[in-house]
Amino acid sequence: MPNAALAAPTRQRIITAVLKIIGADGLSALTNRRIAKEAGVSLGSVTYHFETQHELLRESLLHFVREEARHFTELADQCQTDGIDIEEAAQLAGQVACSAALDSAHLAPFELYLHAGRDERLREAAAEAFRAYDRLATRILTALDVPDAERLASTTVALVMGLQLRRLATGSPADDLVDALLLLARGAVARPAEQDCGRN
């Protein structure tokens, strides 16, 4: 059995290849032979690192989400330390959306989420992915002093993902995402103030 440190790069190349293939041509194009060719590894390496296609799909989905979560956690830390306000946070989200390439690797997770709707074995991985996004959204909203941050997190995640899917499908500008986030955040901040006025 190879050393884990030596095995990691091969495993990573396989996962990267899987996401690229799925994003480019869909799940039906995913074969071990094509994965091996795309990853630049031997055919045996694919089955050595991933015994089943289910394991391969699950790990590829979780890898993508963990990388995304790591990146956005760094942004959340920036929100906490720089005293960023709602408008600046929304603009930052827009910049991140603009910097995300409209490529096959970013289409792949949406394919995998849809596949999870058909394959119960992938649903826990999808649920873990959304929990990670919800935790991150809660953290950012809390840093922005948005009331009920935890309750609004899943709505925020759904909004961002829906707009990103629209952007991937149509090439629409990231400004749509910024405007929608501002609308959500401002509404959440304004609502408690209106409720307080109603009590007076």
Side-chain angles (χ1 to χ4, degrees):
M1 179 179 291
N3 182 285
L6 296 175
T10 300
R11 188 179 177 89
Q12 180 56 53
R13 288 201 303 274
I14 292 169
I15 287 174
T16 300
V18 167
L19 291 171
K20 185 174 180 181
I21 293 166
I22 293 173
D25 297 311
L27 281 162
S28 61
L30 203 62
T31 65
N32 286 353
R33 190 172 301 280
R34 182 166 176 190
I35 294 166
K37 182 178 180 181
E38 185 70 42
V41 301
S42 69
L43 187 58
S45 292
V46 177
T47 53
Y48 173 80
H49 288 281
F50 301 96
E51 291 184 5
T52 65
Q53 188 178 70
H54 163 65
E55 181 188 356
L56 185 57
L57 294 177
R58 178 183 181 280
E59 290 305 311
S60 296
L61 174 59
L62 291 177
H63 167 77
F64 178 87
V65 170
R66 285 168 185 151
E67 285 301 299
E68 289 278 282
R70 181 188 58 77
H71 176 61
F72 286 107
T73 297
E74 291 172 2
L75 293 178
D77 289 341
Q78 182 180 334
C79 288
Q80 290 180 318
T81 57
D82 292 353
I84 195 168
D85 63 22
I86 289 173
E87 286 77 9
E88 290 169 332
Q91 290 296 331
L92 184 60
Q95 290 170 16
V96 170
C98 282
S99 67
L102 295 174
D103 57 17
S104 59
H106 285 82
L107 283 170
F110 289 100
E111 289 266 357
L112 288 167
Y113 290 136
L114 287 173
H115 189 63
R118 302 182 191 102
D119 185 345
E120 290 184 3
R121 296 171 301 170
L122 269 182
R123 287 184 189 165
E124 182 50 38
E128 183 179 336
F130 279 96
R131 284 193 296 268
Y133 283 131
D134 288 350
R135 284 193 302 270
L136 185 55
T138 299
R139 186 172 178 183
I140 293 172
L141 292 171
T142 300
L144 293 171
D145 292 324
V146 172
D148 297 324
E150 189 170 350
R151 186 177 61 82
L152 288 173
S154 61
T155 302
T156 304
V157 169
L159 175 68
V160 171
M161 291 193 75
L163 287 170
Q164 278 295 79
L165 179 58
R166 179 175 180 166
R167 182 169 172 261
L168 286 165
T170 66
S172 62
D175 290 347
D176 292 349
L177 174 60
V178 175
D179 292 343
L181 287 173
L182 281 172
L183 183 65
L184 178 68
R186 286 176 178 154
V189 169
R191 196 182 64 177
E194 291 170 358
Q195 289 174 344
D196 289 341
C197 288
R199 293 191 190 102
N200 294 335

